[in-house]
Amino acid sequence: MLDIGLLVRVHVDALIVAQNHMGVCDAIRRITPVGKLAAMSAPHLPKVAGIDPEVPVSTHTPAPLREVPGPPGAFLQDRLAGWVSDLTTLHELTERLAGTSTLDEALNELLRAGAALVGARRGLLVLEPANGEGPSAILGLGLGLGLGRAEIGHIETVPRASTALGRVLDGLPDTADGVITPDLLDEPDLDPRHREVALRLGYAASYALPLSSDAAGRLGAAVWLYDEPAEPAQKQRHLAGLYARYAAEHLARLIELERARADVAAVAEELLPSRLPRIPGVRLAARHRTGPRGGGDWYDALPLPDRTLGLAVGSVGGSGPSAMAAMGRLRASLRAYAVMEGEDPVAVLSDLELLLRLTEPARTATALFAYCEPAARKVVLAGAGHTPPLVLGERRCEFVETTLSAPLGMLACWEAPSVELSPAPGETVLLYTDGLLRRTGDTMDRAFARLHSAAASVPKRDRHDPAAVADHILRTMLPGGLDRSDSAEDVVILAAHFD
């Protein structure tokens, strides 16, 4: 058997290690072969008697490897694992923040996430947009994590310039990347009042960050408090800074959204009665909330001659500024028709139908108008595609049976018989729009059943107060409250209690 010796030995283990450390090409360049195969370099000798001549073995020995690359350091693996962990944490926190749809939810999430990133237990956030724009409800808003209202009040008594939060809010030059106070009580020029509050609340260090976006500028600042002298590490500050920049952009969008909603609500309130009339024999109460996009639900109560009263509720199809403008025109027109012929609700709605068909043929609306004589406890009403009123008293809780009718704008000529009812002393007539039913998320049949159940459950002590009746029904029908941002429906309730 032919035995061919090699002139070079390849250190396989060293090569594999070098490949892992530097890459295949670099490893091959570092480990240089010391010779060539003799079979490749020696001349071929003639064969003798069919036997190949013996190939001599080289006497050269391979030079030892003087530089064998060592294995990659464990610190590199740890660093890569740390980067992956940090990016995963930051991604999860920003995803949770992006899932918030209201300003309160976003602020609470920001405080919690920031505390987790910098290793603090308590925090305080103040919204104070530099441009002064935004709903008045959020300007100067202070929100605490692990701090009660009384504790926040104590912090607010500290002079603003002596706190890290105040310096960040004032936009001082040295606060762009945050303010670290590792040992608050050891500060030589610490304000005495600040020292007193820190000792009372039990915090000894703080880390404050500005909240600013490219579009809106400075929005506010957040500060996290430590129970003992401490400061966040460089990596913690870096992650907190990245998160704060993303959070500021999200907050800027939510503030703009809140401002738009506040403007819509203000316009809607201006289009509705500023106050309810006082007529002997009847007491009124109204509750109204406009959806985030602005809707067309409305109500009205106007005094008529001879101490009579006109009550109306209605809804214009669509949402947004156009629906709100149409609602204002419709309400103003109904007031004019009610003054002229309010004793006949059918005539009032017929005139309104004609006006809507001639001026806005693409618009539909529902309306209910009631002519009330409180002294005689007499109510005559007519509805155009509207939900029926509900009568609540000591001995009954029932819907008024009104005639079926299409909404305004859907017929060439609208006319339906009116309905007359006589409320007993102490009874309340409840007018409302279908937004109250739709906000429940149930089918209309189930929503009507819930409304009836809510009205029947009004405590007896509250049944003589129309405001208490309306509030109880709203609490029962909408446990989440009227200000839910995920519902586009307007809500209107108009309660008339007859003495």
Side-chain angles (χ1 to χ4, degrees), residues 76-312:
L76 184 58
Q77 298 180 6
D78 293 341
R79 179 171 294 184
L80 290 175
W83 287 344
V84 172
S85 176
D86 292 342
L87 289 176
T88 302
T89 301
L90 196 60
H91 174 73
E92 291 176 354
L93 293 178
T94 52
E95 284 292 313
R96 285 169 53 181
L97 181 66
T100 59
S101 56
T102 65
L103 195 57
D104 287 342
E105 292 176 355
L107 296 177
N108 280 289
E109 179 61 32
L110 192 159
L111 274 178
R112 286 193 296 267
L117 288 174
V118 302
R121 188 174 63 89
R122 292 179 289 178
L124 178 64
L125 189 149
V126 175
L127 276 184
E128 194 176 280
N131 55 15
E133 296 182 357
S136 58
I138 68 170
L139 296 179
L141 172 66
L143 184 68
L145 172 69
L147 296 171
R149 290 186 178 181
E151 294 172 317
I152 295 177
H154 286 308
I155 295 176
E156 290 176 346
T157 63
V158 178
R160 179 178 174 123
S162 68
T163 65
L165 183 64
R167 294 174 60 196
V168 173
L169 287 172
D170 291 337
L172 298 181
D174 61 339
T175 63
D177 297 325
V179 177
I180 304 173
T181 310
D183 193 346
L184 183 69
L185 300 179
D186 196 38
E187 293 286 331
D189 353 342
L190 184 65
D191 184 270
R193 178 57 184 167
H194 196 181
R195 182 183 301 274
E196 178 185 350
V197 170
L199 289 172
R200 176 178 296 182
L201 300 186
Y203 64 87
S206 67
Y207 175 54
L209 267 182
L211 300 173
S212 60
S213 69
D214 295 335
R218 192 196 72 222
L219 300 176
V223 62
W224 290 275
L225 307 175
Y226 298 89
D227 297 340
E228 297 177 353
E231 62 178 297
Q234 175 63 34
K235 183 177 72 171
Q236 291 176 312
R237 297 198 300 269
H238 178 66
L239 291 177
L242 292 175
Y243 181 80
R245 284 193 288 273
Y246 175 83
E249 298 292 341
H250 185 63
L251 289 179
R253 291 190 292 269
L254 290 179
I255 289 175
E256 182 63 23
L257 183 60
E258 290 288 339
R259 185 193 63 79
R261 289 174 178 170
D263 291 344
V264 167
V267 172
E269 291 298 327
E270 291 297 325
L271 293 174
L272 296 174
S274 57
R275 62 183 182 87
L276 297 173
R278 295 182 178 180
I279 304 294
V282 63
R283 285 177 291 151
L284 303 175
R287 297 292 182 267
H288 172 261
R289 287 294 183 276
T290 302
R293 294 193 298 270
D297 287 15
W298 54 277
Y299 70 94
D300 205 352
L302 64 156
L304 297 175
D306 300 327
R307 293 188 176 184
T308 59
L309 179 68
L311 301 177

Side-chain angles (χ1 to χ4, degrees), residues 269-418:
E269 291 298 327
E270 291 297 325
L271 293 174
L272 296 174
S274 57
R275 62 183 182 87
L276 297 173
R278 295 182 178 180
I279 304 294
V282 63
R283 285 177 291 151
L284 303 175
R287 297 292 182 267
H288 172 261
R289 287 294 183 276
T290 302
R293 294 193 298 270
D297 287 15
W298 54 277
Y299 70 94
D300 205 352
L302 64 156
L304 297 175
D306 300 327
R307 293 188 176 184
T308 59
L309 179 68
L311 301 177
V313 291
S315 177
V316 174
S319 61
S322 63
M324 295 175 63
M327 177 262 284
R329 293 190 293 269
L330 197 70
R331 172 178 169 265
S333 302
L334 186 139
R335 289 176 70 92
Y337 298 143
V339 170
M340 292 187 295
E341 45 193 352
E343 298 90 343
D344 187 358
V346 173
V348 172
L349 294 184
S350 298
D351 293 342
L352 201 62
E353 158 72 25
L354 179 60
L355 175 71
L356 191 66
R357 183 161 48 87
L358 293 178
T359 59
E360 301 183 63
R363 183 81 63 182
T364 60
T366 66
L368 186 145
F369 179 74
Y371 174 76
C372 307
E373 298 180 11
R377 289 193 297 277
K378 173 184 175 183
V379 178
V380 181
L381 59 89
H386 204 77
T387 51
L390 186 144
V391 179
L392 170 65
E394 296 290 340
R395 298 184 178 181
R396 63 171 172 169
C397 178
E398 60 187 20
F399 291 101
V400 178
E401 294 185 4
T402 57
T403 56
L404 296 177
S405 172
L408 300 173
M410 296 187 66
L411 298 176
C413 180
W414 182 91
E415 185 170 346
S418 59

